[in-house]
Amino acid sequence: MTRIVCLAAGLVVALATWAGSAAAQQWQEYKPVGAGYRVEMPGKPAVTEREQQTPAGTVKFSFARLAQGQRGLLASHAVYQAGALPADPEQALDNARDGATKGGKLGSEKRLKVDGAPARRIVLENSGQVVNLLVVVKGNTLYQLLYHQPQGSEPTPDMERFLSSFALVKG
């Protein structure tokens, strides 16, 4: 449980403080090999992968980031060892939500299914940013899409296109 809370909180803080810019580009599919998902992004993301030792064993993380001025997108997945996530996927999603809202304020939360897998759509405020988060759990993998923008700014069509483009796929 603590691992998920730390991961979710870390993603929110890292992306909210991450600065950079991306040139206007065409939307393209991002589909990491073997990750089991696809998503559309308005440009080519910077990808980081790492393994981390945790009390439950090794966790493999992958992050794909794309900045658009004061807005940013992040697609990530974390692969846990079998049995490391709670047996109840809803508990894993609760833990991810709790971690994401640590130090921030939960605006809304919606339970849903994405390609049959339990998921949450969460809106929160953190560090002067509004963060729209999609969290999906399937098996031993936790997927997260995160779109952030400054508080007070209007949601963009890019946000909805990014979040709604997520799909679970084979391989």
Side-chain angles (χ1 to χ4, degrees), residues 27 121 132 147 155-166:
W27 282 82
R121 182 82 180 258
N132 285 272
Y147 183 95
T156 68
D158 286 358
M159 178 196 71
E160 192 55 42
R161 179 172 179 176
F162 171 64
L163 294 173
S164 64
S165 72
F166 178 87

Side-chain angles (χ1 to χ4, degrees), residues 85-86 88-90 92-93 117-119 135-143 168:
L85 290 176
D88 177 7
E90 292 298 332
L93 293 168
V135 185
V136 181
V137 65
K138 182 173 181 188
N140 64 331
T141 305
L142 184 72
Y143 302 95
L168 293 170

Side-chain angles (χ1 to χ4, degrees), residues 32-133:
V33 175
Y37 79 98
R38 64 163 296 284
V39 66
E40 293 178 9
M41 299 180 91
K44 184 176 179 175
V47 177
T48 305
E49 295 181 351
R50 66 183 166 107
E51 288 187 4
Q52 182 174 330
Q53 288 294 352
T54 71
T58 304
V59 179
K60 297 178 183 179
F61 297 99
S62 178
F63 306 97
R65 294 181 180 96
L66 182 65
Q68 294 183 306
Q70 294 182 317
R71 302 172 195 275
L73 301 86
L74 173 84
S76 73
H77 67 280
V79 180
Y80 292 83
Q81 291 184 342
L85 290 176
D88 177 7
E90 292 298 332
Q91 183 62 55
L93 293 168
D94 286 347
N95 296 344
R97 176 210 53 225
D98 294 346
T101 57
K102 189 172 185 167
K105 178 183 172 188
L106 179 64
S108 66
E109 176 179 23
K110 181 180 178 185
R111 293 174 186 252
L112 57 130
K113 298 269 186 189
V114 172
D115 298 325
R120 300 278 175 87
R121 182 82 180 258
I122 300 165
V123 179
L124 59 105
E125 296 177 6
N126 193 319
S127 303
Q129 298 283 309
V130 174
V131 180
N132 285 272
L133 182 65

